[in-house]
Amino acid sequence: MNGSILFLLLLVIVGLIAKNTSLVIASAILLMIKLIGISDRVFPFLQAKGINIGVTVITIAVLVPIASGSIGFKELSDAIRSPYAWIALASGIAVALIAKSGLTLLVNDPHITTALVFGTIIAVSLFKGVAVGPLIGAGIAYLAMKIFEFFH
């Protein structure tokens, strides 16, 4: 058994112990792809397109209330009157810009991905976090690195 299979098995176990379905499913799917022997074809695709696919799925989930009709123009106009809505709007803009920097970091400095993955695994398994923010994590790391570089 090679190291990646053992690591994925460990992640399945950690996910089960932490009761984190997302970690269990993701690790199990990758483990099955590896064991079936199609990883040489599937993994490069997932590595190249997986983040974009994931962002698309999350975007679909966020837009469902609009598509279902539970959020419409009336709710939008009502929300604009709330100071919290303006905070949320600014936060949405900031997050998208931070994520853009994160994508740049992940493309230009792939070894950083390892640390981000471990950080995400720790947050998901030990702190009941949700693994939806690798781009945001990379963006925050990018900003922190730039601040670090500025002062050194």
Side-chain angles (χ1 to χ4, degrees):
M1 227 186 254
N2 70 24
S4 62
I5 291 174
L6 288 174
F7 203 144
L8 288 169
L9 281 171
L10 177 65
L11 291 176
V12 169
I13 292 166
V14 168
L16 289 169
I17 292 168
K19 296 183 175 110
N20 188 298
T21 308
S22 297
L23 182 58
V24 171
I25 291 171
S27 301
I29 287 172
L30 294 172
L31 184 59
M32 283 189 287
I33 290 169
K34 185 92 173 154
L35 292 174
I36 291 170
I38 57 173
S39 60
D40 291 344
R41 293 185 302 274
V42 176
F43 287 176
F45 172 78
L46 288 176
Q47 196 162 4
K49 304 290 183 191
I51 290 176
N52 290 333
I53 293 168
V55 168
T56 301
V57 170
I58 290 169
T59 303
I60 289 169
V62 169
L63 294 177
V64 166
I66 294 170
S68 69
S70 58
I71 294 178
F73 289 111
K74 181 190 179 317
E75 289 77 15
L76 178 61
S77 66
D78 290 346
I80 291 175
R81 296 186 192 109
S82 162
Y84 292 135
W86 288 101
I87 293 169
L89 178 69
S91 297
I93 292 168
V95 163
L97 293 174
I98 290 170
K100 177 183 171 188
S101 298
L103 188 57
T104 302
L105 178 65
L106 291 177
V107 169
N108 295 333
D109 216 348
H111 75 278
I112 294 297
T113 305
T114 306
L116 285 166
V117 168
F118 281 124
T120 301
I121 290 167
I122 289 168
V124 166
S125 60
L126 299 179
F127 304 113
K128 304 273 187 212
V130 179
V132 295
L135 281 177
I136 303 305
I140 292 169
Y142 178 85
L143 292 175
M145 289 173 194
K146 291 299 176 186
I147 291 168
F148 182 80
E149 288 172 5
F150 179 78
F151 287 108
H152 277 84

